[in-house]
Amino acid sequence: MEGLLAEHERLSKSGTFTKSLDDIQKTMDLLVKARETIAASEMPFLSSIFQRENKSMLIVTLVSDTETASLNLAKLQTPVKNSLEDVHKDLEEVRKCQSKYLKLLDKKFKDKTLPQMDYVALSAQPALINRAVAMHLLREGQFSVASTFLSEATKDQVAENVEEDLTMSGTEQDLGLDSLKSESLRKQFANMYHILHEMKNERNLLPAIEWARDKSEELEKRGSNLEFELGKLQFVWLFVGRPNQNGQSNLYEGRQHALEYIRQDLSHFRPRYHRELQQLCGAIAFCPNLPQSPYRRTFLNNDAWDELATSFTKEFCALLGLSADSPLYIAATAGAIALPHFSKLQVIMKDKRTEWTTKHEIPVEVPLPPSYRFHSIFVCPVSKEQTTDQNPPMMMPCGHVVAKESLMRLSKNARFKCPYCPNESHPKDAMKIYM
């Protein structure tokens, strides 16, 4: 990978592209100058006027200095030829770099056959897949595309849904696509994107603050501090001086606006965020020298806007009952991380002529990042298998835990000794652990 990165860096720093464009521009300038010289030497004049059958015919003859034109064209031959040769040399160097870069790409990322499986986990749940795609489009603000996708996805399933509704459970009905067609859901996402646009591009926190005030009770139940963080960043924005019409900021006026804002709009946070409010007011004493003050992290944080936008998106989606990130994006990213491991596994299984028949487990552990782990798992220390809903973990009276199948295999419905300590117990004394 280091060689590929080094070649990419060398190719990006190469001045061949700029030189080639300069050579082309020089050739165009020579041609334009020659055209202007030839055009200036042309001398139009009126040669004759004929009257025929009550109609006037105007014949204009253009007399050009052919010698001057021929001389200018002759002068162009050598410069244009040299310029084209320079361009050819530049492009030849580009082709060499491109060829070497493509070879490194092919060497690093070899064309391999994707692993194939006879069992597809979601093959029997197309509605769940369609819902994930539609929800991803709505979360990305592609409302018209989401509307078209929903109409196309449900067009051929209307008759089937009537029959399936009689046998569907409540959870399966909730996974349908009808809930995504509601205008209120689209308005919610449209409002979210409007607030994010104002926050990121216009540095305007007022729409976000207004939304947080309307949802203050729900946010407080979640233990969220989003409303205070929005007000805090608004104070900082006012404190450093909001720009005027000329793009300049007045630090003195900024402090006055910030103090007025904290008295009027942040006073109700005093019981809960008394210390934080004291720190904001204490920064006034360090106003002329904020970069060297203890408050520089608060007032000179360039990432504060992006961090608060991410926090706002998380809370907004949480109040809608959704995760902060798109499930489709998470699934695709996790699949991309796992794909090399499955490809290697398929090669090993093919060489050893073995097969993996377990549907709900994978034979290797995929090193997903911590943010992609949404629930705890338990691997039975006896069978070395991951527990499932059909084979849950069971805790014996001694405190040790094994899978249910291992427990029944060890006990044979009678008293047995724990495989990890001397204590004996009966299978009926074991307790199921919920994860």
Side-chain angles (χ1 to χ4, degrees), residues 125-154 157 174-182 185-186 189 192-193 322 325-329:
Q125 297 177 326
L128 186 61
I129 300 175
N130 292 337
R131 177 182 173 84
V133 175
M135 182 59 70
H136 179 78
L137 293 173
L138 288 174
R139 295 169 71 112
E140 294 297 319
Q142 303 292 336
F143 303 118
S144 60
V145 181
S147 177
T148 304
F149 175 80
L150 288 171
S151 61
E152 293 290 336
T154 57
Q157 298 179 0
D174 292 339
L175 296 177
L177 300 178
D178 292 337
S179 60
L180 300 183
K181 295 182 179 179
S182 63
L185 183 61
R186 300 183 190 185
F189 281 111
M192 183 185 75
Y193 274 94
L322 304 172
D325 297 321
S326 168
L328 183 64
Y329 171 79

Side-chain angles (χ1 to χ4, degrees), residues 151-403:
S151 61
E152 293 290 336
T154 57
K155 184 168 55 177
D156 299 331
Q157 298 179 0
V158 176
E160 298 177 3
N161 290 340
V162 175
E163 299 177 359
E164 292 176 358
D165 285 345
L166 300 176
T167 58
M168 270 180 151
S169 65
T171 304
E172 290 173 337
Q173 290 180 358
D174 292 339
L175 296 177
L177 300 178
D178 292 337
S179 60
L180 300 183
K181 295 182 179 179
S182 63
E183 189 66 23
S184 61
L185 183 61
R186 300 183 190 185
K187 288 182 178 179
Q188 291 277 8
F189 281 111
N191 184 33
M192 183 185 75
Y193 274 94
H194 168 70
I195 294 174
L196 289 174
H197 172 78
E198 292 292 322
M199 185 185 302
K200 293 181 178 180
N201 300 331
E202 305 297 334
R203 290 294 190 262
N204 180 15
L205 289 171
L206 296 181
I209 293 174
E210 182 179 357
W211 177 88
R213 287 174 179 172
D214 293 339
K215 305 293 183 180
S216 60
E217 293 184 3
E218 291 90 337
L219 292 173
E220 188 173 354
K221 290 179 181 179
R222 283 179 44 81
S224 172
N225 62 342
L226 177 64
E227 185 180 0
F228 175 75
E229 291 297 329
L230 289 169
K232 178 180 176 181
L233 187 57
Q234 179 72 2
F235 173 86
V236 172
W237 182 73
L238 293 172
F239 187 91
V240 297
R242 55 183 176 182
N244 54 25
Q245 297 178 352
N246 298 327
Q248 299 177 351
S249 57
N250 189 312
L251 191 58
Y252 176 76
E253 293 182 359
R255 282 181 293 173
Q256 296 298 114
H257 290 303
L259 285 175
E260 183 179 353
Y261 176 77
I262 200 172
R263 292 192 187 103
Q264 295 181 357
D265 296 90
L266 299 182
S267 58
H268 63 285
F269 289 112
R270 188 177 302 169
R272 185 177 179 184
Y273 299 101
H274 182 69
R275 180 177 177 81
E276 288 82 355
L277 292 175
Q278 284 183 331
Q279 292 177 350
L280 292 177
C281 295
I284 298 177
F286 296 87
C287 183
N289 194 23
L290 279 177
Q292 284 74 36
S293 70
Y295 306 98
R296 61 182 180 276
R297 182 70 179 88
T298 302
F299 288 85
L300 301 176
N301 184 8
N302 296 327
D303 299 329
W305 293 87
D306 293 334
E307 293 173 357
L308 194 57
T310 302
S311 178
F312 169 80
T313 304
K314 179 180 178 181
E315 296 297 337
F316 192 100
C317 292
L319 293 185
L320 292 178
L322 304 172
S323 60
D325 297 321
S326 168
L328 183 64
Y329 171 79
I330 294 176
T333 306
I337 296 174
L339 191 58
H341 300 274
F342 291 155
S343 299
K344 185 176 181 180
L345 174 67
Q346 190 177 45
V347 174
I348 296 175
M349 292 175 63
K350 184 178 180 180
D351 293 340
K352 294 185 176 182
R353 298 181 180 180
T354 58
E355 293 183 358
W356 184 262
T357 57
T358 305
K359 293 184 178 180
H360 300 288
E361 297 180 19
I362 56 178
V364 294
E365 183 178 358
V366 179
L368 294 176
S371 59
Y372 279 41
R373 299 173 185 173
F374 301 100
H375 57 84
S376 301
I377 60 173
F378 176 77
V379 177
C380 176
V382 176
S383 63
K384 309 301 182 183
E385 295 180 354
Q386 183 175 326
T387 56
T388 62
D389 293 338
Q390 293 74 27
N391 184 27
M394 305 293 292
M395 184 174 68
M396 296 173 285
C398 59
H400 292 105
V401 181
V402 295

Side-chain angles (χ1 to χ4, degrees), residues 54-67:
N54 298 325
K55 293 182 180 179
S56 299
M57 179 181 292
L58 180 63
I59 301 176
V60 179
T61 304
L62 299 178
V63 180
S64 302
D65 189 352
T66 56
E67 294 182 359

